[in-house]
Structures are given as C-alpha cells and as structure tokens.
Amino acid sequence: MTKSELIAELSAANPHLRGQDVELIVATIFNEITAALSRGERVELRGFGAFTVKRREARTGRNPRTGEAVPVDEKAVPFFKAGKELRERVNRGKREGRAASDAKGRTDQGVAA
C-alpha cells in the first residue's frame, strides 16, 4: 500500500473528514515518527510495532563492478520490529488463506471436503 492509497482508504472510511485533512493527519504522523527517530528516540505503536535506530559501524566494502575496496562510513539505519498483535494477525490471515486453498485443492483432486 502506498501513502496515497492509505490516504484514499482513510478518507473513504471517514467521510466526515475532508481529504486534505486526512492527508495532513497522515503526513503529521509520518513526520513525528521521522523526527523522533532522527533524535535517536524509540517510537512504539502498541499492537503494531516499534521503530528504532540502529547504528552501523564504519567498514570496508567492495565495489561490485571493480572489486576495489571502498570505505563505508558509519551510519544510522531505521529499523522496524513488528509487534505481537501484528504478527498474529498477519499469520492468521495466511493460515485462513492456506486453509481455503487446501480445501479447494482437495476437491479438485476428487476428495470430498
């Protein structure tokens, strides 16, 4: 899902809000998460997950084209860890989808479901 698709779905689910207001809300949330991460803070959204910043040490890398050694500077990388509820909901969806396809596969093979 893209940011514009998210805004469109939220607008459809909340017809009492103007599209511009929904766009502002989404942009504000993303900006606040970004600002907190840039300050080195952790952002936790209960039931969804946590955003943190991980530090990558400076290292020597390789240019894939020439094989030449290239210095890579230290950097900060945003990291997301899914929360328990999100993982369970995603896995529950996979199991339900798999059960439906398994049942379909059995009937296609002549085995009564």
Side-chain angles (χ1 to χ4, degrees):
M1 172 179 283
T2 64
K3 184 177 176 181
S4 59
E5 291 170 340
L6 174 64
I7 292 168
E9 287 209 19
L10 290 173
S11 294
N14 297 283
H16 60 283
L17 295 174
R18 294 183 321 143
Q20 291 173 333
D21 293 337
V22 173
E23 188 173 347
L24 179 63
I25 291 166
V26 170
T28 301
I29 291 170
F30 289 167
N31 289 339
E32 288 301 315
I33 290 171
T34 302
L37 291 174
S38 68
R39 293 188 303 265
E41 297 174 5
R42 181 175 189 263
V43 178
E44 181 178 341
L45 304 172
R46 297 284 168 131
F48 184 72
F51 296 91
T52 57
V53 175
K54 291 194 174 195
R55 296 263 174 227
R56 299 256 170 102
E57 298 293 324
R59 62 183 176 85
T60 301
R62 297 252 175 232
N63 180 330
R65 186 171 292 171
T66 63
E68 177 186 353
V70 178
V72 178
D73 294 336
E74 176 184 285
K75 59 185 164 185
V77 180
F79 179 77
F80 175 76
K81 182 175 180 185
K84 181 180 176 183
E85 186 178 331
L86 176 62
R87 284 192 314 268
E88 288 173 351
R89 289 180 71 178
V90 168
N91 286 323
R92 183 174 39 234
K94 283 185 178 180
R95 270 183 274 156
E96 290 170 0
R98 191 174 328 135
S101 65
D102 287 350
K104 181 181 176 194
R106 279 191 223 109
T107 58
D108 289 346
Q109 295 171 0
V111 177

